[in-house]
Structures are given as C-alpha cells and as structure tokens.
Amino acid sequence: MPLVTTKDMLIRAKRGGYAVGAFNAENMEMAQAIIFAAKELNAPVIIQTTPSTLRYASLDLFWGNIEALAKNTGVPVALHLDHGDSFDLCAQALRAGYTSVMIDGSRLPLDQNIALTRRVVEICSPSGVPVEGEIGCVGGKEDDSEGRSGYTVPAEAVSFESETGVSSMAVGIGTAHGVYRAEPVLDMRLLRKLVESISSPLVLHGASGLTDSAIRECVREGICKVNFATELRIAYSEGVRQVLCGEVSVFDPKTYGKSGRSRVQELVMERIKVCGCDGKAAYG
C-alpha cells in the first residue's frame, strides 16, 4: 500500500491502548529491516529520519527507498521527519513526500516554540500531513545536538496544543536520547497528568535502552508512539562487525549488510511486541 500519515495511526493506537513503534533508519538495509519486521508481525510502523541522516543522504533518496518498500508490504507505513530542526527542513520534507513531520522547538522559549510549530502546522495542514511538536526537552544527545533535560509542564502543554494545532506531542518525563549511563527514573505521575490534560496522542522519545517493563508501563498510561534510534544503530553495527571481524576475506557489502539488517529486524520485532502493536495492521 502507499505511504500513510501518522494521524489516523496514532488516533487508533490511543483508542486501542497500544503504541506504534517509530524506528530511525540510517540506510536502505535498516529501512528494509524495519519494514520486514512490521510485515512479519502484521503491525503498523513509522520509519524516521533525522537532520543528520538527511545530510548523509537526501530526503528524496530515503523517500524513494521507503515508498518502494511500503508499496509491496501490505501494512501501514508512515515516513516521518524526526526532530526537524528548522521550518525550511520541514517544508522540504513535505515537498519530498514525507507523510509526517516533527518540528522540534523545545530548546526555544515557549512563545517562540509555539510560533515556529504553528508555522509548520499551517504549511502541512492543506496536504493533510500531521505535525509532531515537542515541549519539555528530552535530555541526552539526539542526532548531533546536545539537549538539556527538562520535564514537560502540563499547563504549558495545554497552551502549546491549543495554540499550535499539533497532531501529536513529544513530552519530557525523564527519558534521554542516546545510551543511558544509569537507569532513568520516569515520572509516571506527570505522564498521567499530561494524558488527562491533552487530547493529542503523546510521544515518548529516548526509548532506546529502557526496559520492556518501563515501555509497557508508559504505553498503559497513554503513550501512543515510542521512538527507537540508538539501539538500532548499535544492532546494525554489531551485525556488520561480527562479519568483518570474523572473516577478513569478506569484501562484498551485501554480506555484512545482510548481517546488520538481520540484527535490526530481530530488535524491531521485539520492540513492536513491547509496544503492543503486533497484529494491529488492519487497525493501524
């Protein structure tokens, strides 16, 4: 089927009490692995690219790969710009055929974040492309930007939602991007308050490295989209390293590419099950 947007996908997840896994792809093999996993488990899925990934290869190149894969897979696939860092990049993603975009103005003062996010919503709305915003900065290192840690203030989130018209909202409840050095303490009380206060589906960033039980608890409390990036990069690299370090005569990129792809597919399947969206393709 053709690429779909994340709007209906996340609304159905909210109603159904599960979350859709959102997985960052860095190359063709990782995109294949994500879609193979979704097809195997009959699950809706979101494939994401970040600004640094799009400096490595273009929006058009990723769109072409993922559109071709989605066309023959039979499950709902959305292509999402993750952590869009400017109005211009969001506009370029929209023109390239991305079916969902995120504008991350979380490091800006609240009024500037609202103004920037609203501008992106205004250009995406005529095409029916949903926009994810962020309020309350998720800590750690995302892409090539260092983020301060900050919890979302419910009253600010309410204003952000009403003044921007976002379709979904990434919130800060104690997660961080990158590799955790210690187990994070998630503020579930804050999450419950945000779910009560906000009608838009909520997004959990920084899920790589969280325990399965922590992710399941967040989903039970109302998270509708869970982002995974760092652990997929690690899995792919481990698969490649296993081949190259074990067999010095290997020179065909397809050989170690398959190994990396297999590792990523296995991990994505595990995470889809943790999110509870396996078997939900018909309702994705």
Side-chain angles (χ1 to χ4, degrees):
M1 61 173 63
L3 292 170
V4 303
T5 76
T6 56
K7 186 170 183 178
D8 187 56
M9 195 183 279
L10 297 185
I11 289 173
R12 290 179 183 273
K14 184 178 175 71
R15 291 173 181 165
Y18 61 90
V20 178
F23 303 96
N24 285 49
E26 307 293 337
N27 56 24
M28 181 191 73
E29 288 81 6
M30 292 179 75
Q32 287 177 314
I34 295 163
I35 289 186
F36 293 169
K39 184 174 183 178
E40 180 75 17
L41 294 177
N42 196 35
V45 73
I46 300 166
I47 299 182
Q48 309 187 142
T49 58
T50 61
S52 75
T53 303
L54 296 171
R55 288 192 291 273
Y56 175 73
S58 70
L59 286 155
D60 289 337
L61 186 59
F62 276 101
W63 178 87
N65 272 270
I66 294 162
E67 193 272 341
L69 288 164
K71 184 169 27 178
N72 298 313
T73 202
V75 299
V77 179
L79 178 56
H80 177 73
L81 172 65
D82 187 30
H83 286 282
D85 55 8
S86 69
F87 175 87
D88 287 345
L89 182 59
C90 289
Q92 291 164 18
L94 177 66
R95 289 195 294 269
Y98 274 54
T99 56
S100 178
V101 302
M102 177 192 184
I103 179 65
D104 183 1
S106 62
R107 295 175 182 83
L108 299 171
L110 179 60
D111 59 338
Q112 294 180 32
N113 187 5
I114 288 173
L116 174 61
T117 304
R118 185 169 55 231
R119 284 185 68 207
V120 174
V121 171
E122 287 170 353
I123 65 164
C124 290
S125 291
S127 301
V129 171
V131 176
E132 177 184 326
E134 181 171 339
I135 181 168
C137 193
V138 177
K141 185 175 176 62
E142 165 60 32
D143 210 16
D144 51 1
S145 299
E146 195 75 32
R148 68 187 188 283
S149 181
Y151 290 85
T152 300
V153 177
E156 292 182 351
V158 171
S159 297
F160 183 81
E161 180 182 44
S162 64
E163 294 183 44
T164 61
V166 288
S167 299
S168 60
M169 192 184 308
V171 292
I173 60 167
T175 56
H177 296 114
V179 178
Y180 287 106
R181 294 176 177 83
E183 186 173 346
V185 178
L186 305 184
D187 191 336
M188 304 309 296
R189 183 177 178 182
L190 172 59
L191 176 55
R192 286 190 287 271
K193 179 65 175 176
L194 290 167
V195 170
E196 292 170 0
S197 305
I198 298 165
S199 60
S200 303
L202 298 185
V203 179
L204 184 70
H205 284 235
S208 286
L210 291 183
T211 63
D212 291 355
S213 60
I215 295 170
R216 288 191 180 103
E217 184 178 9
C218 289
V219 174
R220 281 196 303 270
E221 294 296 344
I223 287 292
C224 301
K225 172 177 178 268
V226 183
N227 285 20
F228 302 97
T230 302
E231 63 185 30
L232 272 66
R233 295 169 179 166
I234 293 171
Y236 184 80
S237 298
E238 287 177 345
V240 171
R241 191 177 298 116
Q242 181 183 31
V243 172
L244 292 181
C245 292
E247 182 55 70
V248 294
S249 64
V250 170
F251 59 87
D252 187 344
K254 295 188 292 298
T255 302
Y256 50 81
K258 288 177 183 177
S259 178
R261 184 176 66 191
S262 177
R263 288 288 190 97
V264 174
Q265 181 176 346
E266 181 180 344
L267 177 58
V268 171
M269 289 177 68
E270 292 174 3
R271 290 314 204 181
I272 284 174
K273 292 175 183 176
V274 170
C275 288
C277 61
D278 50 313
K280 302 294 196 301
Y283 310 99

